Amino acid sequence: NTGAPVAVVATEVTNVEKVPASLEATQATLITTRLMARMSTVRVRAGDVVNKGDLLLELENSDIRAQVQQAESRIRAVSARLKEARQNLDRATELQAGGVMSRADLDRAVANHETLLAEMGGANQALEEANTALGYTEIVAPFDGRVVDRFAEPGDTAQPGSKLLALYNPLSLRVEAQVREHLALELEVGQALQVEIPSLERVVDAVIEERVP
């Protein structure tokens, strides 16, 4: 022992692990339609930025608009007949109570009124279905994002379920990586780390959001 001072040097070691990974949007969707109809208008192209609620596509809807008008006309007609049947039923009830009208005539008035009530219910349902179908002819953006691809052109016939546009939210990107098991066991949700993205020549601060076996 010479009495010389002893120095303890602490060094920080950074572990770097290269893993196959990709940038994926957690908010992405394929725009489709529920109807078979001719494409009337396509308002966006690949690369366009859209906001939630923006009109993206329009389908030919003249036939459906005609159905809406027919349903509305039917409701007006049934409503007039139902009003008359209600008045007749009230009058028949009073007359039968006074012994002037037979029970059979009152029953016919009741049956006629109930039949028209059922017809009015069917007319309202037909109008609701027509309006719903009309709403399907205008396709809007479900969230803020960017159009990735466009698969439809005006004049094309859209089929139910066929893809028309691809849309994603560029603000919802995250890194999805394949990590070796022995390393994954040391990682925890919420843990902070740095990620280097060679294609962007950037190193970004990240937090582990999810760990999937």
Side-chain angles (χ1 to χ4, degrees), residues 11 16 27 34 54 59-60 63 81 90 107-108 139 179 199 208 210 212:
T11 60
V16 177
Q27 198 173 26
R34 300 187 183 188
D54 284 353
L59 304 179
E60 178 60 47
D63 291 344
R81 291 164 55 199
D90 291 342
D107 290 342
R108 280 192 291 271
I139 302 175
V179 180
S199 60
I208 299 176
E210 186 178 7
V212 180

Side-chain angles (χ1 to χ4, degrees), residues 22-106:
S22 60
L23 282 173
E24 302 290 344
T26 59
Q27 198 173 26
T29 187
L30 287 174
I31 303 297
T32 62
T33 177
R34 300 187 183 188
L35 302 176
M36 183 176 71
R38 188 179 66 85
M39 298 294 306
S40 174
T41 307
V42 183
R43 295 178 175 266
V44 294
R45 293 192 173 277
D48 287 353
V49 175
V50 298
N51 296 317
K52 182 178 180 179
D54 284 353
L55 183 60
L56 304 178
L57 304 156
E58 292 177 283
L59 304 179
E60 178 60 47
N61 60 17
S62 57
D63 291 344
I64 299 178
R65 287 190 180 278
Q67 293 175 14
V68 172
Q69 293 174 354
Q70 290 172 2
E72 291 173 342
S73 297
R74 181 186 173 194
I75 287 177
R76 288 193 294 268
V78 175
S79 179
R81 291 164 55 199
L82 183 59
K83 180 180 179 181
E84 182 180 359
R86 178 73 253 179
Q87 292 172 346
N88 291 337
L89 177 58
D90 291 342
R91 184 163 52 250
T93 301
E94 293 177 2
L95 293 175
Q96 203 277 334
V100 179
M101 178 176 285
S102 67
R103 181 66 191 182
D105 289 336
L106 175 60

